[in-house]
Coordinates of all heavy atoms in Angstrom, one line a residue:
M283 N -58.0 45.1 10.7 CA -57.6 44.7 12.0 C -58.1 43.2 12.2 O -57.4 42.6 12.8 CB -58.2 45.7 13.0 CG -57.7 45.4 14.4 SD -56.7 46.7 14.7 CE -56.8 46.5 16.5
L284 N -59.2 42.8 11.6 CA -59.8 41.6 11.9 C -58.9 40.5 11.1 O -58.5 39.3 11.7 CB -61.1 41.5 11.3 CG -61.8 40.0 11.4 CD1 -61.9 39.6 12.9 CD2 -63.2 40.2 10.8
L285 N -58.4 40.8 9.9 CA -57.6 39.9 9.1 C -56.2 39.6 9.8 O -55.9 38.2 10.0 CB -57.4 40.5 7.7 CG -56.6 39.4 6.8 CD1 -57.4 38.2 6.7 CD2 -56.5 40.1 5.4
P286 N -55.5 40.5 10.4 CA -54.3 40.2 11.1 C -54.5 39.3 12.2 O -53.7 38.5 12.7 CB -53.6 41.5 11.4 CG -54.2 42.4 10.4 CD -55.5 42.0 10.1
S287 N -55.6 39.6 12.9 CA -55.9 38.9 14.1 C -56.2 37.4 13.8 O -55.8 36.4 14.5 CB -57.1 39.4 14.9 OG -56.8 40.7 15.4
L288 N -57.0 37.2 12.7 CA -57.2 35.8 12.3 C -55.9 35.1 11.8 O -55.9 33.9 12.1 CB -58.2 35.8 11.1 CG -59.6 36.3 11.5 CD1 -60.6 36.4 10.3 CD2 -60.3 35.3 12.5
V289 N -55.1 35.7 11.0 CA -53.8 35.1 10.7 C -53.0 34.8 11.9 O -52.5 33.6 12.0 CB -53.1 36.0 9.7 CG1 -51.6 35.4 9.6 CG2 -53.7 36.2 8.4
I290 N -52.9 35.6 12.9 CA -52.1 35.4 14.1 C -52.7 34.2 14.8 O -52.1 33.4 15.3 CB -52.0 36.6 15.0 CG1 -51.0 37.6 14.2 CG2 -51.4 36.2 16.3 CD1 -51.0 38.9 15.0
G291 N -54.1 34.3 15.0 CA -54.7 33.2 15.7 C -54.6 31.8 15.0 O -54.4 30.9 15.8
G292 N -54.8 31.8 13.7 CA -54.5 30.6 12.9 C -53.2 30.1 13.1 O -53.0 28.8 13.3
A293 N -52.2 30.9 13.0 CA -50.8 30.4 13.2 C -50.5 30.0 14.4 O -49.9 29.0 14.7 CB -49.9 31.6 12.9
S294 N -51.0 30.7 15.6 CA -50.8 30.2 16.9 C -51.4 28.9 17.2 O -50.9 28.0 17.8 CB -51.5 31.3 17.9 OG -50.8 32.4 17.8
Y295 N -52.8 28.6 16.5 CA -53.5 27.3 16.6 C -52.6 26.3 16.1 O -52.5 25.1 16.7 CB -54.9 27.5 16.1 CG -55.6 26.2 16.0 CD1 -56.1 25.6 17.0 CD2 -55.6 25.4 14.7 CE1 -56.8 24.3 17.1 CE2 -56.1 24.2 14.6 CZ -56.8 23.7 15.8 OH -57.4 22.5 15.7
E296 N -52.2 26.5 14.9 CA -51.4 25.4 14.2 C -50.1 25.0 15.0 O -49.7 23.9 15.1 CB -51.0 25.9 12.8 CG -52.2 25.8 11.9 CD -52.9 24.4 11.7 OE1 -52.2 23.4 11.7 OE2 -54.0 24.3 11.7
T297 N -49.4 26.0 15.6 CA -48.2 25.8 16.2 C -48.5 25.0 17.5 O -47.8 24.2 17.9 CB -47.5 27.2 16.6 OG1 -47.2 27.9 15.4 CG2 -46.2 26.9 17.4
A298 N -49.6 25.4 18.3 CA -50.0 24.7 19.5 C -50.3 23.3 19.1 O -50.0 22.3 19.8 CB -51.1 25.5 20.1
K299 N -51.1 23.2 18.1 CA -51.5 21.8 17.6 C -50.3 20.9 17.4 O -50.3 19.8 17.9 CB -52.4 21.9 16.4 CG -52.9 20.6 16.0 CD -53.8 20.8 14.6 CE -54.0 19.5 14.0 NZ -54.7 19.7 12.7
R300 N -49.3 21.4 16.6 CA -48.0 20.6 16.4 C -47.4 20.3 17.7 O -46.9 19.2 17.7 CB -47.3 21.5 15.3 CG -46.1 20.6 14.7 CD -45.4 21.5 13.7 NE -45.4 22.9 13.8 CZ -46.0 23.8 13.1 NH1 -46.9 23.3 12.1 NH2 -45.9 25.0 13.1
K301 N -47.2 21.2 18.4 CA -46.5 21.0 19.8 C -47.3 19.9 20.6 O -46.5 19.0 21.3 CB -46.4 22.3 20.5 CG -45.4 23.2 20.0 CD -44.0 22.7 20.0 CE -43.1 23.9 19.4 NZ -41.6 23.4 19.3
V302 N -48.6 20.0 20.6 CA -49.3 19.0 21.5 C -49.1 17.7 20.8 O -48.9 16.6 21.6 CB -50.8 19.3 21.5 CG1 -51.6 18.2 22.1 CG2 -50.9 20.6 22.4
E303 N -49.3 17.5 19.5 CA -49.1 16.3 18.8 C -47.6 15.7 19.1 O -47.6 14.5 19.3 CB -49.3 16.3 17.2 CG -50.7 16.6 16.9 CD -50.9 16.8 15.5 OE1 -49.8 17.0 14.7 OE2 -52.1 16.9 14.9
E304 N -46.6 16.5 19.0 CA -45.2 16.1 19.4 C -45.1 15.5 20.8 O -44.6 14.5 21.0 CB -44.2 17.3 19.1 CG -44.0 17.6 17.6 CD -43.2 18.9 17.6 OE1 -42.7 19.4 18.6 OE2 -43.0 19.3 16.4
K305 N -45.7 16.2 21.7 CA -45.7 15.8 23.0 C -46.5 14.4 23.3 O -45.9 13.5 24.0 CB -46.4 16.7 24.0 CG -45.5 18.0 24.3 CD -44.4 17.7 25.2 CE -43.6 18.9 25.6 NZ -42.4 18.6 26.3
I306 N -47.6 14.3 22.6 CA -48.3 13.0 22.7 C -47.4 11.8 22.1 O -47.4 10.7 22.6 CB -49.6 13.1 21.9 CG1 -50.5 14.0 22.8 CG2 -50.3 11.7 21.8 CD1 -51.8 14.3 22.0
V307 N -46.9 12.2 21.0 CA -46.0 11.0 20.3 C -44.7 10.7 21.3 O -44.5 9.6 21.5 CB -45.6 11.5 18.8 CG1 -44.4 10.5 18.4 CG2 -46.7 11.5 17.9
Q308 N -44.1 11.7 21.7 CA -43.0 11.5 22.7 C -43.4 10.7 23.9 O -42.8 9.7 24.3 CB -42.4 12.8 23.2 CG -41.2 12.7 24.0 CD -40.7 14.1 24.5 OE1 -41.3 15.1 24.2 NE2 -39.6 14.0 25.2
S309 N -44.6 11.1 24.5 CA -45.1 10.4 25.6 C -45.4 8.9 25.4 O -45.1 8.0 26.1 CB -46.3 11.0 26.2 OG -46.8 10.4 27.3
A310 N -46.0 8.7 24.2 CA -46.3 7.4 23.8 C -45.1 6.5 23.5 O -45.0 5.3 23.9 CB -47.1 7.4 22.4
Q311 N -43.9 7.1 23.0 CA -42.7 6.4 22.8 C -42.1 6.1 24.1 O -41.5 5.0 24.2 CB -41.8 7.2 21.9 CG -42.1 7.3 20.5 CD -41.3 8.3 19.7 OE1 -40.7 9.1 20.3 NE2 -41.3 8.2 18.4
E312 N -42.2 7.0 25.0 CA -41.6 6.7 26.5 C -42.4 5.6 27.0 O -41.7 4.7 27.7 CB -41.6 7.9 27.2 CG -40.6 9.0 26.8 CD -40.8 10.3 27.5 OE1 -41.8 10.4 28.3 OE2 -40.1 11.3 27.2
N313 N -43.6 5.6 26.9 CA -44.4 4.4 27.5 C -44.2 3.1 26.8 O -44.1 2.1 27.6 CB -45.9 4.7 27.4 CG -46.5 5.8 28.4 OD1 -45.9 6.1 29.4 ND2 -47.5 6.5 27.9
V314 N -43.9 3.1 25.6 CA -43.6 1.9 24.9 C -42.2 1.3 25.5 O -42.2 0.1 25.7 CB -43.6 2.1 23.4 CG1 -42.9 0.8 22.7 CG2 -44.9 2.4 22.9
V315 N -41.3 2.3 25.6 CA -40.0 1.8 26.1 C -40.1 1.2 27.7 O -39.6 0.2 27.9 CB -39.0 3.0 26.1 CG1 -37.7 2.7 26.9 CG2 -38.6 3.4 24.6
L316 N -40.9 1.9 28.4 CA -41.2 1.5 29.8 C -41.9 0.1 29.7 O -41.4 -0.8 30.5 CB -42.0 2.6 30.6 CG -41.4 3.8 31.0 CD1 -42.2 4.8 31.6 CD2 -40.2 3.5 31.9
L317 N -42.9 -0.1 28.9 CA -43.5 -1.3 28.8 C -42.7 -2.5 28.3 O -42.7 -3.6 28.8 CB -44.8 -1.3 27.9 CG -46.0 -0.7 28.6 CD1 -47.1 -0.4 27.5 CD2 -46.5 -1.5 29.7
D318 N -41.8 -2.2 27.4 CA -40.8 -3.2 26.9 C -39.9 -3.6 28.0 O -39.7 -4.8 28.1 CB -40.1 -2.5 25.8 CG -39.0 -3.5 25.2 OD1 -39.4 -4.6 24.8 OD2 -37.9 -3.2 25.1
G319 N -39.4 -2.7 28.9 CA -38.6 -3.1 29.9 C -39.3 -4.0 30.9 O -38.8 -4.9 31.4
L320 N -40.6 -3.6 31.1 CA -41.4 -4.3 32.2 C -41.6 -5.7 31.6 O -41.5 -6.7 32.4 CB -42.7 -3.6 32.4 CG -43.6 -4.2 33.4 CD1 -43.1 -4.4 34.7 CD2 -44.9 -3.6 33.5
I321 N -42.0 -5.9 30.4 CA -42.3 -7.2 29.8 C -41.0 -8.1 29.8 O -41.0 -9.2 30.1 CB -42.9 -7.0 28.5 CG1 -44.3 -6.5 28.6 CG2 -43.0 -8.3 27.7 CD1 -45.0 -6.0 27.2
T322 N -40.0 -7.4 29.4 CA -38.6 -8.1 29.3 C -38.2 -8.7 30.8 O -37.9 -9.8 30.9 CB -37.5 -7.2 28.8 OG1 -37.9 -6.8 27.4 CG2 -36.2 -8.0 28.8
R323 N -38.3 -7.8 31.8 CA -38.0 -8.2 33.1 C -39.0 -9.3 33.7 O -38.6 -10.1 34.5 CB -38.1 -7.0 34.0 CG -36.9 -6.1 33.9 CD -36.7 -5.0 34.9 NE -38.0 -4.3 35.2 CZ -38.3 -3.1 34.7 NH1 -37.5 -2.7 33.6 NH2 -39.4 -2.6 34.9
T324 N -40.3 -9.3 33.3 CA -41.3 -10.2 33.7 C -41.0 -11.7 32.9 O -41.0 -12.6 33.6 CB -42.7 -9.7 33.4 OG1 -42.7 -8.6 34.1 CG2 -43.7 -10.8 33.9
I325 N -40.8 -11.6 31.6 CA -40.7 -12.9 30.8 C -39.4 -13.5 30.8 O -39.2 -14.7 30.7 CB -41.2 -12.5 29.4 CG1 -42.5 -12.0 29.4 CG2 -40.9 -13.8 28.5 CD1 -43.5 -12.9 29.7
E326 N -38.2 -12.7 30.9 CA -36.9 -13.1 30.8 C -36.5 -14.3 31.9 O -36.0 -15.4 31.4 CB -35.8 -12.1 31.0 CG -34.5 -12.4 30.5 CD -33.6 -11.3 30.4 OE1 -34.0 -10.1 30.5 OE2 -32.4 -11.4 30.3
P327 N -36.9 -14.2 33.1 CA -36.6 -15.3 34.1 C -37.3 -16.6 33.6 O -36.7 -17.6 33.9 CB -37.3 -14.7 35.4 CG -37.2 -13.3 35.3 CD -37.4 -13.0 33.9
A328 N -38.7 -16.5 33.2 CA -39.3 -17.7 32.8 C -38.6 -18.3 31.6 O -38.5 -19.6 31.5 CB -40.8 -17.3 32.5
V329 N -38.1 -17.5 30.6 CA -37.5 -18.0 29.4 C -36.2 -18.7 29.9 O -35.9 -19.9 29.5 CB -37.2 -16.9 28.4 CG1 -36.2 -17.4 27.4 CG2 -38.4 -16.4 27.9
K330 N -35.4 -18.2 30.8 CA -34.2 -18.8 31.4 C -34.5 -20.1 32.1 O -33.8 -21.1 31.9 CB -33.4 -17.8 32.3 CG -32.8 -16.7 31.4 CD -32.0 -15.9 32.3 CE -31.5 -14.6 31.6 NZ -30.2 -14.5 31.2
D331 N -35.6 -20.2 32.8 CA -35.9 -21.4 33.4 C -36.4 -22.4 32.4 O -35.9 -23.6 32.6 CB -37.2 -21.2 34.3 CG -36.9 -20.4 35.6 OD1 -35.6 -20.2 36.0 OD2 -37.8 -19.8 36.3
I332 N -37.1 -22.1 31.4 CA -37.5 -23.1 30.4 C -36.2 -23.6 29.7 O -36.1 -24.9 29.3 CB -38.5 -22.5 29.5 CG1 -39.7 -22.3 30.1 CG2 -38.7 -23.4 28.3 CD1 -40.8 -21.4 29.4
E333 N -35.3 -22.6 29.3 CA -34.1 -23.1 28.6 C -33.3 -24.1 29.5 O -32.7 -25.0 29.0 CB -33.2 -21.9 28.3 CG -33.8 -21.1 27.1 CD -33.1 -19.7 26.9 OE1 -32.1 -19.3 27.7 OE2 -33.2 -19.1 25.9
Y334 N -33.2 -23.8 30.8 CA -32.5 -24.7 31.7 C -33.1 -26.0 31.8 O -32.5 -27.1 31.8 CB -32.4 -24.1 33.1 CG -31.9 -24.9 34.2 CD1 -30.5 -25.3 34.3 CD2 -32.7 -25.6 35.1 CE1 -29.9 -26.0 35.2 CE2 -32.2 -26.5 36.0 CZ -30.8 -26.7 36.0 OH -30.2 -27.6 37.0
M335 N -34.5 -26.1 31.8 CA -35.3 -27.3 32.0 C -35.0 -28.1 30.7 O -34.8 -29.3 30.7 CB -36.7 -27.0 32.2 CG -36.9 -26.6 33.6 SD -38.6 -26.0 33.9 CE -39.5 -27.5 33.8
A336 N -35.0 -27.4 29.5 CA -34.8 -28.1 28.2 C -33.6 -28.7 28.1 O -33.3 -30.0 27.7 CB -35.1 -27.1 27.1
A337 N -32.4 -28.0 28.6 CA -31.1 -28.5 28.7 C -31.0 -29.7 29.6 O -30.3 -30.6 29.2 CB -30.1 -27.3 29.0
T338 N -31.6 -29.6 30.7 CA -31.6 -30.7 31.7 C -32.3 -31.9 31.0 O -31.8 -33.1 31.1 CB -32.3 -30.3 33.0 OG1 -31.5 -29.1 33.5 CG2 -32.1 -31.5 33.9
L339 N -33.4 -31.9 30.4 CA -34.2 -32.9 29.8 C -33.3 -33.5 28.7 O -33.2 -34.7 28.5 CB -35.5 -32.5 29.3 CG -36.5 -32.2 30.5 CD1 -37.7 -31.6 29.7 CD2 -36.8 -33.3 31.3
E340 N -32.6 -32.7 27.9 CA -31.8 -33.2 26.8 C -30.7 -34.0 27.4 O -30.4 -35.1 26.8 CB -31.3 -32.1 25.9 CG -32.3 -31.4 24.9 CD -31.6 -30.3 24.3 OE1 -30.4 -30.0 24.5 OE2 -32.4 -29.7 23.4
Q341 N -30.0 -33.6 28.4 CA -28.9 -34.4 29.0 C -29.6 -35.7 29.6 O -28.9 -36.7 29.5 CB -28.3 -33.6 30.1 CG -27.5 -32.4 29.7 CD -26.9 -31.6 30.8 OE1 -27.3 -31.7 31.9 NE2 -26.0 -30.6 30.5
N342 N -30.6 -35.7 30.3 CA -31.2 -36.9 30.9 C -31.7 -37.8 29.8 O -31.6 -38.9 29.9 CB -32.4 -36.5 31.8 CG -31.9 -35.9 33.1 OD1 -30.7 -35.9 33.5 ND2 -32.8 -35.1 33.8
G343 N -32.3 -37.3 28.7 CA -32.7 -38.0 27.5 C -31.6 -38.8 26.9 O -31.6 -40.0 26.5
A344 N -30.4 -38.1 26.9 CA -29.2 -38.7 26.3 C -28.7 -39.8 27.1 O -28.3 -40.9 26.7 CB -28.1 -37.7 26.0
Q345 N -28.8 -39.6 28.5 CA -28.3 -40.7 29.4 C -29.3 -41.9 29.2 O -28.8 -43.1 29.4 CB -28.3 -40.2 30.7 CG -27.2 -39.1 31.0 CD -27.4 -38.4 32.4 OE1 -28.2 -38.7 33.1 NE2 -26.3 -37.5 32.6
V346 N -30.6 -41.7 29.2 CA -31.5 -42.8 29.1 C -31.3 -43.6 27.9 O -31.3 -44.8 27.8 CB -33.0 -42.3 29.2 CG1 -34.0 -43.3 28.9 CG2 -33.2 -41.6 30.6
N347 N -31.1 -42.8 26.7 CA -30.8 -43.5 25.4 C -29.5 -44.3 25.6 O -29.4 -45.5 24.8 CB -30.9 -42.5 24.3 CG -32.3 -42.0 24.1 OD1 -33.2 -42.7 24.3 ND2 -32.3 -40.8 23.5
E348 N -28.5 -43.8 26.0 CA -27.2 -44.5 26.2 C -27.4 -45.8 27.0 O -26.7 -46.9 26.8 CB -26.1 -43.6 26.8 CG -25.7 -42.5 25.8 CD -24.8 -41.6 26.4 OE1 -24.4 -41.8 27.6 OE2 -24.4 -40.6 25.8
A349 N -28.3 -45.7 28.0 CA -28.4 -47.0 28.9 C -29.4 -48.0 28.2 O -29.5 -49.2 28.7 CB -29.0 -46.5 30.3
G350 N -29.9 -47.7 27.1 CA -30.8 -48.7 26.3 C -32.2 -48.7 26.9 O -32.8 -49.7 26.6
L351 N -32.7 -47.7 27.5 CA -34.0 -47.8 28.1 C -35.0 -47.1 27.2 O -34.9 -46.3 26.4 CB -34.2 -47.1 29.3 CG -33.1 -47.7 30.5 CD1 -33.4 -46.9 31.7 CD2 -33.7 -49.1 30.8

């Protein structure tokens, strides 16, 4: 009677352990996706501003060079 109980207990423990690990991994993946979106929404406007400023400076630099300054 003890041996079947140990086998059932061991199998139940391994199954529960595997399920908990799967849930932890799934939760971590969801958190990474959320953080990626948050970082993208935070950084993207600054990148666009920098790209605009760089393009503006390039245009102004070309005008200054054409004027001979």
Side-chain angles (χ1 to χ4, degrees):
M283 185 111 164
L284 180 62
L285 186 60
S287 296
L288 289 175
V289 171
I290 291 172
S294 296
Y295 171 78
E296 288 300 319
T297 301
K299 179 181 169 185
R300 191 171 32 250
K301 291 291 183 184
V302 168
E303 288 175 352
E304 289 173 3
K305 285 288 186 182
I306 289 172
V307 169
Q308 180 184 5
S309 178
Q311 289 172 339
E312 290 171 359
N313 286 337
V314 167
V315 169
L316 289 173
L317 279 173
D318 178 53
L320 177 64
I321 290 170
T322 299
R323 286 192 306 272
T324 302
I325 300 294
E326 193 171 351
V329 170
K330 289 186 187 251
D331 289 344
I332 292 168
E333 288 172 349
Y334 173 77
M335 291 172 67
T338 301
L339 289 173
E340 285 178 2
Q341 289 175 352
N342 289 341
Q345 292 173 356
V346 169
N347 288 337
E348 288 173 4
L351 298 176

